[in-house]
mmCIF file of all heavy atoms in Angstrom:
data_model
loop_
_atom_site.group_PDB
_atom_site.id
_atom_site.type_symbol
_atom_site.label_atom_id
_atom_site.label_comp_id
_atom_site.label_asym_id
_atom_site.label_seq_id
_atom_site.Cartn_x
_atom_site.Cartn_y
_atom_site.Cartn_z
ATOM 1 N N TYR A 1 -35.437 -99.952 -52.809
ATOM 2 C CA TYR A 1 -34.746 -99.071 -51.869
ATOM 3 C C TYR A 1 -33.350 -99.491 -51.743
ATOM 4 O O TYR A 1 -33.059 -100.660 -51.400
ATOM 5 C CB TYR A 1 -35.513 -99.197 -50.509
ATOM 6 C CG TYR A 1 -36.741 -98.392 -50.370
ATOM 7 C CD1 TYR A 1 -37.481 -97.906 -51.460
ATOM 8 C CD2 TYR A 1 -37.152 -98.070 -49.059
ATOM 9 C CE1 TYR A 1 -38.647 -97.164 -51.273
ATOM 10 C CE2 TYR A 1 -38.312 -97.358 -48.838
ATOM 11 C CZ TYR A 1 -39.043 -96.837 -49.929
ATOM 12 O OH TYR A 1 -40.199 -96.123 -49.847
ATOM 13 N N PRO A 2 -32.407 -98.596 -52.010
ATOM 14 C CA PRO A 2 -31.005 -98.915 -51.829
ATOM 15 C C PRO A 2 -30.581 -99.160 -50.422
ATOM 16 O O PRO A 2 -29.474 -99.734 -50.221
ATOM 17 C CB PRO A 2 -30.307 -97.726 -52.442
ATOM 18 C CG PRO A 2 -31.292 -96.551 -52.170
ATOM 19 C CD PRO A 2 -32.600 -97.164 -52.439
ATOM 20 N N ASN A 3 -31.398 -98.741 -49.452
ATOM 21 C CA ASN A 3 -30.959 -98.877 -48.083
ATOM 22 C C ASN A 3 -31.636 -100.071 -47.393
ATOM 23 O O ASN A 3 -31.638 -100.201 -46.158
ATOM 24 C CB ASN A 3 -31.266 -97.602 -47.209
ATOM 25 C CG ASN A 3 -32.817 -97.274 -47.234
ATOM 26 O OD1 ASN A 3 -33.544 -97.789 -48.008
ATOM 27 N ND2 ASN A 3 -33.151 -96.375 -46.274
ATOM 28 N N VAL A 4 -32.246 -101.043 -48.152
ATOM 29 C CA VAL A 4 -32.986 -102.146 -47.634
ATOM 30 C C VAL A 4 -32.360 -103.368 -48.229
ATOM 31 O O VAL A 4 -32.252 -103.538 -49.475
ATOM 32 C CB VAL A 4 -34.480 -102.119 -47.932
ATOM 33 C CG1 VAL A 4 -35.144 -103.350 -47.437
ATOM 34 C CG2 VAL A 4 -35.084 -100.863 -47.141
ATOM 35 N N PHE A 5 -32.055 -104.375 -47.346
ATOM 36 C CA PHE A 5 -31.605 -105.671 -47.804
ATOM 37 C C PHE A 5 -32.552 -106.691 -47.227
ATOM 38 O O PHE A 5 -32.845 -106.802 -46.036
ATOM 39 C CB PHE A 5 -30.166 -105.927 -47.178
ATOM 40 C CG PHE A 5 -29.172 -104.925 -47.656
ATOM 41 C CD1 PHE A 5 -29.134 -103.671 -46.997
ATOM 42 C CD2 PHE A 5 -28.271 -105.201 -48.657
ATOM 43 C CE1 PHE A 5 -28.200 -102.701 -47.458
ATOM 44 C CE2 PHE A 5 -27.366 -104.207 -49.129
ATOM 45 C CZ PHE A 5 -27.211 -103.007 -48.438
ATOM 46 N N GLN A 6 -33.145 -107.509 -48.197
ATOM 47 C CA GLN A 6 -34.128 -108.546 -47.727
ATOM 48 C C GLN A 6 -33.694 -109.958 -48.026
ATOM 49 O O GLN A 6 -33.391 -110.390 -49.071
ATOM 50 C CB GLN A 6 -35.454 -108.218 -48.590
ATOM 51 C CG GLN A 6 -36.017 -106.815 -48.422
ATOM 52 C CD GLN A 6 -37.394 -106.683 -48.902
ATOM 53 O OE1 GLN A 6 -38.325 -106.986 -48.293
ATOM 54 N NE2 GLN A 6 -37.542 -106.078 -50.167
ATOM 55 N N PHE A 7 -33.615 -110.733 -46.942
ATOM 56 C CA PHE A 7 -33.211 -112.133 -46.965
ATOM 57 C C PHE A 7 -34.217 -113.016 -46.067
ATOM 58 O O PHE A 7 -33.927 -113.099 -44.899
ATOM 59 C CB PHE A 7 -31.850 -112.265 -46.511
ATOM 60 C CG PHE A 7 -30.818 -111.561 -47.338
ATOM 61 C CD1 PHE A 7 -30.267 -110.257 -46.813
ATOM 62 C CD2 PHE A 7 -30.427 -111.891 -48.483
ATOM 63 C CE1 PHE A 7 -29.325 -109.616 -47.578
ATOM 64 C CE2 PHE A 7 -29.591 -111.224 -49.329
ATOM 65 C CZ PHE A 7 -28.989 -110.113 -48.874
ATOM 66 N N PRO A 8 -35.186 -113.548 -46.635
ATOM 67 C CA PRO A 8 -36.039 -114.381 -45.867
ATOM 68 C C PRO A 8 -35.334 -115.632 -45.317
ATOM 69 O O PRO A 8 -34.316 -115.979 -45.813
ATOM 70 C CB PRO A 8 -37.201 -114.765 -46.809
ATOM 71 C CG PRO A 8 -36.627 -114.590 -48.057
ATOM 72 C CD PRO A 8 -35.618 -113.540 -48.053
ATOM 73 N N TYR A 9 -35.941 -116.327 -44.334
ATOM 74 C CA TYR A 9 -35.334 -117.406 -43.644
ATOM 75 C C TYR A 9 -34.833 -118.491 -44.689
ATOM 76 O O TYR A 9 -33.761 -119.068 -44.671
ATOM 77 C CB TYR A 9 -36.139 -118.060 -42.787
ATOM 78 C CG TYR A 9 -35.622 -119.089 -41.797
ATOM 79 C CD1 TYR A 9 -34.929 -118.720 -40.597
ATOM 80 C CD2 TYR A 9 -35.537 -120.389 -42.219
ATOM 81 C CE1 TYR A 9 -34.346 -119.618 -39.799
ATOM 82 C CE2 TYR A 9 -34.913 -121.341 -41.327
ATOM 83 C CZ TYR A 9 -34.241 -120.952 -40.118
ATOM 84 O OH TYR A 9 -33.619 -121.841 -39.295
ATOM 85 N N LYS A 10 -35.698 -118.754 -45.727
ATOM 86 C CA LYS A 10 -35.487 -119.791 -46.610
ATOM 87 C C LYS A 10 -34.184 -119.538 -47.546
ATOM 88 O O LYS A 10 -33.596 -120.450 -48.094
ATOM 89 C CB LYS A 10 -36.624 -120.100 -47.631
ATOM 90 C CG LYS A 10 -36.984 -118.805 -48.415
ATOM 91 C CD LYS A 10 -38.208 -119.099 -49.290
ATOM 92 C CE LYS A 10 -38.548 -117.896 -50.046
ATOM 93 N NZ LYS A 10 -39.832 -118.191 -50.915
ATOM 94 N N PHE A 11 -33.799 -118.203 -47.553
ATOM 95 C CA PHE A 11 -32.693 -117.857 -48.377
ATOM 96 C C PHE A 11 -31.404 -118.402 -47.779
ATOM 97 O O PHE A 11 -30.460 -118.882 -48.503
ATOM 98 C CB PHE A 11 -32.536 -116.224 -48.418
ATOM 99 C CG PHE A 11 -31.240 -115.838 -48.753
ATOM 100 C CD1 PHE A 11 -30.685 -115.763 -49.970
ATOM 101 C CD2 PHE A 11 -30.330 -115.388 -47.711
ATOM 102 C CE1 PHE A 11 -29.442 -115.306 -50.257
ATOM 103 C CE2 PHE A 11 -29.072 -114.958 -47.960
ATOM 104 C CZ PHE A 11 -28.611 -114.860 -49.254
ATOM 105 N N ALA A 12 -31.190 -118.362 -46.425
ATOM 106 C CA ALA A 12 -29.969 -118.564 -45.784
ATOM 107 C C ALA A 12 -29.581 -120.115 -45.905
ATOM 108 O O ALA A 12 -28.466 -120.370 -46.361
ATOM 109 C CB ALA A 12 -30.130 -118.169 -44.254
ATOM 110 N N GLU A 13 -30.288 -121.040 -45.446
ATOM 111 C CA GLU A 13 -29.992 -122.400 -45.528
ATOM 112 C C GLU A 13 -28.573 -122.667 -45.061
ATOM 113 O O GLU A 13 -27.815 -123.285 -45.752
ATOM 114 C CB GLU A 13 -30.277 -122.974 -46.939
ATOM 115 C CG GLU A 13 -31.644 -122.926 -47.491
ATOM 116 C CD GLU A 13 -31.810 -123.431 -48.851
ATOM 117 O OE1 GLU A 13 -30.821 -123.678 -49.497
ATOM 118 O OE2 GLU A 13 -32.970 -123.611 -49.252
ATOM 119 N N ASN A 14 -28.292 -122.081 -43.899
ATOM 120 C CA ASN A 14 -27.000 -122.346 -43.202
ATOM 121 C C ASN A 14 -25.797 -121.754 -44.006
ATOM 122 O O ASN A 14 -24.669 -122.095 -43.735
ATOM 123 C CB ASN A 14 -26.746 -123.924 -42.957
ATOM 124 C CG ASN A 14 -27.751 -124.443 -41.997
ATOM 125 O OD1 ASN A 14 -27.977 -123.791 -40.997
ATOM 126 N ND2 ASN A 14 -28.295 -125.545 -42.359
ATOM 127 N N LYS A 15 -26.080 -120.903 -44.989
ATOM 128 C CA LYS A 15 -24.977 -120.310 -45.691
ATOM 129 C C LYS A 15 -24.846 -118.830 -45.243
ATOM 130 O O LYS A 15 -25.736 -118.099 -44.988
ATOM 131 C CB LYS A 15 -25.357 -120.307 -47.200
ATOM 132 C CG LYS A 15 -25.429 -121.664 -47.817
ATOM 133 C CD LYS A 15 -25.751 -121.583 -49.340
ATOM 134 C CE LYS A 15 -27.133 -120.936 -49.579
ATOM 135 N NZ LYS A 15 -27.432 -120.976 -51.005
ATOM 136 N N PRO A 16 -23.600 -118.343 -45.156
ATOM 137 C CA PRO A 16 -23.465 -116.890 -44.851
ATOM 138 C C PRO A 16 -23.797 -116.065 -46.005
ATOM 139 O O PRO A 16 -23.750 -116.414 -47.202
ATOM 140 C CB PRO A 16 -21.913 -116.839 -44.580
ATOM 141 C CG PRO A 16 -21.279 -117.905 -45.394
ATOM 142 C CD PRO A 16 -22.325 -119.056 -45.300
ATOM 143 N N CYS A 17 -24.262 -114.849 -45.725
ATOM 144 C CA CYS A 17 -24.660 -113.852 -46.698
ATOM 145 C C CYS A 17 -23.380 -113.124 -47.291
ATOM 146 O O CYS A 17 -22.436 -112.884 -46.504
ATOM 147 C CB CYS A 17 -25.563 -112.866 -46.075
ATOM 148 S SG CYS A 17 -26.157 -111.548 -47.203
ATOM 149 N N ALA A 18 -23.472 -112.739 -48.631
ATOM 150 C CA ALA A 18 -22.232 -112.225 -49.220
ATOM 151 C C ALA A 18 -21.781 -110.918 -48.541
ATOM 152 O O ALA A 18 -20.647 -110.460 -48.611
ATOM 153 C CB ALA A 18 -22.555 -112.059 -50.760
ATOM 154 N N ILE A 19 -22.779 -110.153 -48.053
ATOM 155 C CA ILE A 19 -22.504 -108.897 -47.497
ATOM 156 C C ILE A 19 -21.845 -109.031 -46.035
ATOM 157 O O ILE A 19 -21.325 -108.110 -45.499
ATOM 158 C CB ILE A 19 -23.734 -108.004 -47.451
ATOM 159 C CG1 ILE A 19 -23.303 -106.492 -47.299
ATOM 160 C CG2 ILE A 19 -24.587 -108.368 -46.241
ATOM 161 C CD1 ILE A 19 -24.351 -105.497 -47.440
ATOM 162 N N SER A 20 -21.963 -110.213 -45.486
ATOM 163 C CA SER A 20 -21.328 -110.423 -44.141
ATOM 164 C C SER A 20 -19.866 -110.080 -44.141
ATOM 165 O O SER A 20 -19.089 -110.618 -44.979
ATOM 166 C CB SER A 20 -21.581 -111.980 -43.695
ATOM 167 O OG SER A 20 -20.810 -112.217 -42.510
ATOM 168 N N GLY A 21 -19.409 -109.249 -43.210
ATOM 169 C CA GLY A 21 -18.106 -108.770 -43.186
ATOM 170 C C GLY A 21 -17.688 -107.607 -44.115
ATOM 171 O O GLY A 21 -16.556 -107.179 -44.093
ATOM 172 N N HIS A 22 -18.804 -107.272 -44.879
ATOM 173 C CA HIS A 22 -18.507 -106.143 -45.864
ATOM 174 C C HIS A 22 -19.404 -105.075 -45.808
ATOM 175 O O HIS A 22 -19.480 -104.292 -46.802
ATOM 176 C CB HIS A 22 -18.470 -106.810 -47.267
ATOM 177 C CG HIS A 22 -17.551 -107.961 -47.480
ATOM 178 N ND1 HIS A 22 -16.231 -107.773 -47.594
ATOM 179 C CD2 HIS A 22 -17.717 -109.256 -47.526
ATOM 180 C CE1 HIS A 22 -15.545 -108.969 -47.743
ATOM 181 N NE2 HIS A 22 -16.467 -109.848 -47.626
ATOM 182 N N TRP A 23 -20.182 -104.880 -44.712
ATOM 183 C CA TRP A 23 -21.103 -103.777 -44.634
ATOM 184 C C TRP A 23 -20.447 -102.381 -44.714
ATOM 185 O O TRP A 23 -20.962 -101.517 -45.453
ATOM 186 C CB TRP A 23 -21.814 -103.819 -43.318
ATOM 187 C CG TRP A 23 -22.893 -104.821 -43.218
ATOM 188 C CD1 TRP A 23 -22.753 -106.100 -42.767
ATOM 189 C CD2 TRP A 23 -24.235 -104.737 -43.666
ATOM 190 N NE1 TRP A 23 -23.934 -106.878 -42.912
ATOM 191 C CE2 TRP A 23 -24.886 -106.087 -43.507
ATOM 192 C CE3 TRP A 23 -25.044 -103.680 -44.279
ATOM 193 C CZ2 TRP A 23 -26.227 -106.271 -43.762
ATOM 194 C CZ3 TRP A 23 -26.317 -103.922 -44.466
ATOM 195 C CH2 TRP A 23 -26.952 -105.177 -44.271
ATOM 196 N N SER A 24 -19.295 -102.309 -44.144
ATOM 197 C CA SER A 24 -18.555 -100.904 -44.185
ATOM 198 C C SER A 24 -18.162 -100.514 -45.580
ATOM 199 O O SER A 24 -18.335 -99.414 -46.020
ATOM 200 C CB SER A 24 -17.381 -100.997 -43.272
ATOM 201 O OG SER A 24 -17.749 -101.061 -41.932
ATOM 202 N N GLU A 25 -17.546 -101.535 -46.336
ATOM 203 C CA GLU A 25 -17.040 -101.125 -47.686
ATOM 204 C C GLU A 25 -18.228 -101.202 -48.737
ATOM 205 O O GLU A 25 -18.098 -100.428 -49.711
ATOM 206 C CB GLU A 25 -15.980 -102.162 -48.002
ATOM 207 C CG GLU A 25 -16.408 -103.529 -48.113
ATOM 208 C CD GLU A 25 -15.229 -104.585 -48.183
ATOM 209 O OE1 GLU A 25 -14.607 -104.818 -47.114
ATOM 210 O OE2 GLU A 25 -14.941 -105.106 -49.292
ATOM 211 N N THR A 26 -19.187 -102.092 -48.527
ATOM 212 C CA THR A 26 -20.071 -102.269 -49.573
ATOM 213 C C THR A 26 -21.254 -101.220 -49.529
ATOM 214 O O THR A 26 -21.766 -100.769 -50.578
ATOM 215 C CB THR A 26 -20.737 -103.676 -49.532
ATOM 216 O OG1 THR A 26 -19.741 -104.605 -49.624
ATOM 217 C CG2 THR A 26 -21.781 -103.901 -50.653
ATOM 218 N N TYR A 27 -21.744 -100.900 -48.272
ATOM 219 C CA TYR A 27 -22.871 -99.967 -48.175
ATOM 220 C C TYR A 27 -22.449 -98.666 -47.644
ATOM 221 O O TYR A 27 -22.669 -97.577 -48.103
ATOM 222 C CB TYR A 27 -23.986 -100.594 -47.446
ATOM 223 C CG TYR A 27 -25.207 -99.636 -47.275
ATOM 224 C CD1 TYR A 27 -26.124 -99.405 -48.340
ATOM 225 C CD2 TYR A 27 -25.387 -98.920 -46.046
ATOM 226 C CE1 TYR A 27 -27.073 -98.489 -48.191
ATOM 227 C CE2 TYR A 27 -26.355 -97.983 -45.944
ATOM 228 C CZ TYR A 27 -27.202 -97.877 -47.099
ATOM 229 O OH TYR A 27 -28.247 -96.902 -47.019
ATOM 230 N N PHE A 28 -21.777 -98.722 -46.398
ATOM 231 C CA PHE A 28 -21.606 -97.376 -45.715
ATOM 232 C C PHE A 28 -20.393 -96.659 -46.229
ATOM 233 O O PHE A 28 -20.253 -95.415 -46.058
ATOM 234 C CB PHE A 28 -21.378 -97.702 -44.248
ATOM 235 C CG PHE A 28 -22.587 -98.254 -43.421
ATOM 236 C CD1 PHE A 28 -22.724 -99.493 -42.990
ATOM 237 C CD2 PHE A 28 -23.717 -97.420 -43.439
ATOM 238 C CE1 PHE A 28 -23.755 -99.986 -42.373
ATOM 239 C CE2 PHE A 28 -24.893 -97.875 -42.802
ATOM 240 C CZ PHE A 28 -24.891 -99.203 -42.262
ATOM 241 N N HIS A 29 -19.426 -97.322 -46.825
ATOM 242 C CA HIS A 29 -18.219 -96.642 -47.433
ATOM 243 C C HIS A 29 -17.473 -95.943 -46.401
ATOM 244 O O HIS A 29 -16.983 -94.903 -46.765
ATOM 245 C CB HIS A 29 -18.613 -95.824 -48.636
ATOM 246 C CG HIS A 29 -19.435 -96.539 -49.689
ATOM 247 N ND1 HIS A 29 -18.933 -97.575 -50.419
ATOM 248 C CD2 HIS A 29 -20.727 -96.429 -50.034
ATOM 249 C CE1 HIS A 29 -19.915 -98.067 -51.197
ATOM 250 N NE2 HIS A 29 -20.994 -97.342 -51.027
ATOM 251 N N ASN A 30 -17.367 -96.357 -45.131
ATOM 252 C CA ASN A 30 -16.534 -95.807 -44.199
ATOM 253 C C ASN A 30 -16.253 -96.874 -43.147
ATOM 254 O O ASN A 30 -16.775 -98.028 -43.232
ATOM 255 C CB ASN A 30 -17.096 -94.614 -43.443
ATOM 256 C CG ASN A 30 -18.429 -94.886 -42.833
ATOM 257 O OD1 ASN A 30 -18.593 -95.787 -42.109
ATOM 258 N ND2 ASN A 30 -19.503 -94.147 -43.195
ATOM 259 N N ALA A 31 -15.361 -96.624 -42.170
ATOM 260 C CA ALA A 31 -14.982 -97.669 -41.132
ATOM 261 C C ALA A 31 -15.646 -97.256 -39.791
ATOM 262 O O ALA A 31 -15.007 -97.762 -38.757
ATOM 263 C CB ALA A 31 -13.435 -97.695 -41.084
ATOM 264 N N ASN A 32 -16.718 -96.562 -39.830
ATOM 265 C CA ASN A 32 -17.307 -96.185 -38.548
ATOM 266 C C ASN A 32 -17.924 -97.472 -37.906
ATOM 267 O O ASN A 32 -18.271 -98.346 -38.474
ATOM 268 C CB ASN A 32 -18.364 -95.137 -38.795
ATOM 269 C CG ASN A 32 -17.820 -93.797 -39.246
ATOM 270 O OD1 ASN A 32 -16.630 -93.544 -39.074
ATOM 271 N ND2 ASN A 32 -18.595 -92.999 -39.956
ATOM 272 N N PRO A 33 -18.095 -97.384 -36.550
ATOM 273 C CA PRO A 33 -18.728 -98.511 -35.840
ATOM 274 C C PRO A 33 -20.071 -98.825 -36.227
ATOM 275 O O PRO A 33 -20.869 -97.900 -36.684
ATOM 276 C CB PRO A 33 -18.803 -97.942 -34.388
ATOM 277 C CG PRO A 33 -17.702 -96.894 -34.317
ATOM 278 C CD PRO A 33 -17.629 -96.292 -35.633
ATOM 279 N N ILE A 34 -20.409 -100.056 -36.367
ATOM 280 C CA ILE A 34 -21.801 -100.476 -36.726
ATOM 281 C C ILE A 34 -22.653 -100.832 -35.508
ATOM 282 O O ILE A 34 -22.128 -101.607 -34.497
ATOM 283 C CB ILE A 34 -21.666 -101.709 -37.673
ATOM 284 C CG1 ILE A 34 -21.044 -101.311 -38.961
ATOM 285 C CG2 ILE A 34 -23.070 -102.391 -37.887
ATOM 286 C CD1 ILE A 34 -20.887 -102.413 -39.970
ATOM 287 N N VAL A 35 -23.881 -100.414 -35.402
ATOM 288 C CA VAL A 35 -24.801 -100.605 -34.247
ATOM 289 C C VAL A 35 -26.057 -101.263 -34.929
ATOM 290 O O VAL A 35 -26.610 -100.757 -35.876
ATOM 291 C CB VAL A 35 -25.090 -99.301 -33.523
ATOM 292 C CG1 VAL A 35 -26.130 -99.573 -32.409
ATOM 293 C CG2 VAL A 35 -23.864 -98.601 -33.146
ATOM 294 N N LEU A 36 -26.481 -102.371 -34.283
ATOM 295 C CA LEU A 36 -27.813 -102.981 -34.779
ATOM 296 C C LEU A 36 -28.938 -102.573 -33.863
ATOM 297 O O LEU A 36 -28.765 -102.493 -32.639
ATOM 298 C CB LEU A 36 -27.650 -104.514 -34.833
ATOM 299 C CG LEU A 36 -26.433 -105.101 -35.568
ATOM 300 C CD1 LEU A 36 -26.658 -106.660 -35.508
ATOM 301 C CD2 LEU A 36 -26.482 -104.583 -36.931
ATOM 302 N N GLU A 37 -30.131 -102.472 -34.426
ATOM 303 C CA GLU A 37 -31.348 -102.464 -33.695
ATOM 304 C C GLU A 37 -32.174 -103.718 -34.073
ATOM 305 O O GLU A 37 -32.606 -103.802 -35.213
ATOM 306 C CB GLU A 37 -32.176 -101.275 -33.926
ATOM 307 C CG GLU A 37 -33.444 -101.212 -33.065
ATOM 308 C CD GLU A 37 -34.502 -100.270 -33.457
ATOM 309 O OE1 GLU A 37 -34.321 -99.480 -34.492
ATOM 310 O OE2 GLU A 37 -35.548 -100.133 -32.693
ATOM 311 N N LEU A 38 -32.245 -104.684 -33.117
ATOM 312 C CA LEU A 38 -32.977 -105.923 -33.494
ATOM 313 C C LEU A 38 -34.405 -105.815 -33.095
ATOM 314 O O LEU A 38 -34.703 -105.489 -31.954
ATOM 315 C CB LEU A 38 -32.228 -107.084 -32.808
ATOM 316 C CG LEU A 38 -30.756 -107.314 -33.107
ATOM 317 C CD1 LEU A 38 -30.292 -108.513 -32.348
ATOM 318 C CD2 LEU A 38 -30.515 -107.422 -34.570
ATOM 319 N N GLY A 39 -35.260 -106.199 -34.069
ATOM 320 C CA GLY A 39 -36.726 -105.979 -33.850
ATOM 321 C C GLY A 39 -36.957 -104.516 -33.897
ATOM 322 O O GLY A 39 -37.714 -104.004 -33.060
ATOM 323 N N CYS A 40 -36.676 -103.893 -35.049
ATOM 324 C CA CYS A 40 -36.726 -102.419 -35.137
ATOM 325 C C CYS A 40 -38.047 -101.914 -35.425
ATOM 326 O O CYS A 40 -38.290 -100.702 -35.329
ATOM 327 C CB CYS A 40 -35.699 -101.922 -36.233
ATOM 328 S SG CYS A 40 -36.232 -102.384 -37.926
ATOM 329 N N GLY A 41 -39.062 -102.798 -35.810
ATOM 330 C CA GLY A 41 -40.370 -102.248 -36.073
ATOM 331 C C GLY A 41 -40.370 -101.203 -37.167
ATOM 332 O O GLY A 41 -39.901 -101.429 -38.263
ATOM 333 N N LYS A 42 -40.845 -100.051 -36.793
ATOM 334 C CA LYS A 42 -41.045 -98.907 -37.838
ATOM 335 C C LYS A 42 -39.622 -98.191 -37.903
ATOM 336 O O LYS A 42 -39.579 -97.254 -38.731
ATOM 337 C CB LYS A 42 -42.086 -97.916 -37.391
ATOM 338 C CG LYS A 42 -43.494 -98.434 -37.409
ATOM 339 C CD LYS A 42 -44.459 -97.464 -36.942
ATOM 340 C CE LYS A 42 -45.840 -97.943 -36.867
ATOM 341 N NZ LYS A 42 -46.409 -98.126 -38.162
ATOM 342 N N GLY A 43 -38.620 -98.638 -37.268
ATOM 343 C CA GLY A 43 -37.275 -98.053 -37.428
ATOM 344 C C GLY A 43 -37.056 -96.780 -36.694
ATOM 345 O O GLY A 43 -36.119 -96.143 -37.039
ATOM 346 N N GLU A 44 -37.878 -96.396 -35.746
ATOM 347 C CA GLU A 44 -37.746 -95.065 -35.043
ATOM 348 C C GLU A 44 -36.389 -94.917 -34.419
ATOM 349 O O GLU A 44 -35.775 -93.884 -34.452
ATOM 350 C CB GLU A 44 -38.882 -94.837 -34.080
ATOM 351 C CG GLU A 44 -40.294 -94.868 -34.552
ATOM 352 C CD GLU A 44 -40.970 -96.194 -34.390
ATOM 353 O OE1 GLU A 44 -40.367 -97.215 -34.530
ATOM 354 O OE2 GLU A 44 -42.184 -96.157 -33.969
ATOM 355 N N TYR A 45 -35.964 -95.997 -33.709
ATOM 356 C CA TYR A 45 -34.697 -95.863 -32.974
ATOM 357 C C TYR A 45 -33.516 -95.788 -33.982
ATOM 358 O O TYR A 45 -32.584 -94.989 -33.793
ATOM 359 C CB TYR A 45 -34.464 -97.058 -31.970
ATOM 360 C CG TYR A 45 -34.426 -96.478 -30.591
ATOM 361 C CD1 TYR A 45 -35.713 -96.299 -29.822
ATOM 362 C CD2 TYR A 45 -33.227 -96.211 -29.929
ATOM 363 C CE1 TYR A 45 -35.659 -95.889 -28.601
ATOM 364 C CE2 TYR A 45 -33.284 -95.724 -28.611
ATOM 365 C CZ TYR A 45 -34.424 -95.480 -27.984
ATOM 366 O OH TYR A 45 -34.346 -95.041 -26.684
ATOM 367 N N ALA A 46 -33.512 -96.688 -34.977
ATOM 368 C CA ALA A 46 -32.439 -96.656 -35.895
ATOM 369 C C ALA A 46 -32.257 -95.389 -36.633
ATOM 370 O O ALA A 46 -31.103 -94.772 -36.653
ATOM 371 C CB ALA A 46 -32.605 -97.772 -36.896
ATOM 372 N N VAL A 47 -33.412 -94.862 -37.102
ATOM 373 C CA VAL A 47 -33.289 -93.501 -37.711
ATOM 374 C C VAL A 47 -32.956 -92.428 -36.738
ATOM 375 O O VAL A 47 -32.064 -91.526 -37.171
ATOM 376 C CB VAL A 47 -34.666 -93.219 -38.445
ATOM 377 C CG1 VAL A 47 -34.709 -91.771 -38.884
ATOM 378 C CG2 VAL A 47 -34.923 -94.183 -39.511
ATOM 379 N N SER A 48 -33.466 -92.366 -35.555
ATOM 380 C CA SER A 48 -33.119 -91.282 -34.642
ATOM 381 C C SER A 48 -31.628 -91.338 -34.173
ATOM 382 O O SER A 48 -31.030 -90.287 -34.039
ATOM 383 C CB SER A 48 -34.102 -91.402 -33.428
ATOM 384 O OG SER A 48 -35.415 -91.220 -33.753
#
């Protein structure tokens, strides 16, 4: 899926992710505000 990024805990090891700071240019391709839904479950809120 192009809209899914998967990083389990063991991946991080106190290192920042390469996409950190680059969500707008790398994925969204615009400068619009970014909103997070934490604990999104099935994603109903994020999608709606």
Side-chain angles (χ1 to χ4, degrees):
Y1 278 19
N3 62 346
V4 175
F5 300 80
Q6 302 191 82
F7 299 105
Y9 191 90
K10 62 182 180 181
F11 157 84
E13 295 181 350
N14 295 314
K15 297 181 295 185
C17 178
I19 201 171
S20 173
H22 303 287
W23 284 92
S24 293
E25 61 192 77
T26 302
Y27 180 77
F28 294 113
H29 306 295
N30 60 54
N32 294 338
I34 293 177
V35 181
L36 304 186
E37 183 194 1
L38 302 184
C40 69
K42 295 175 181 289
E44 300 102 317
Y45 243 86
V47 171
S48 296

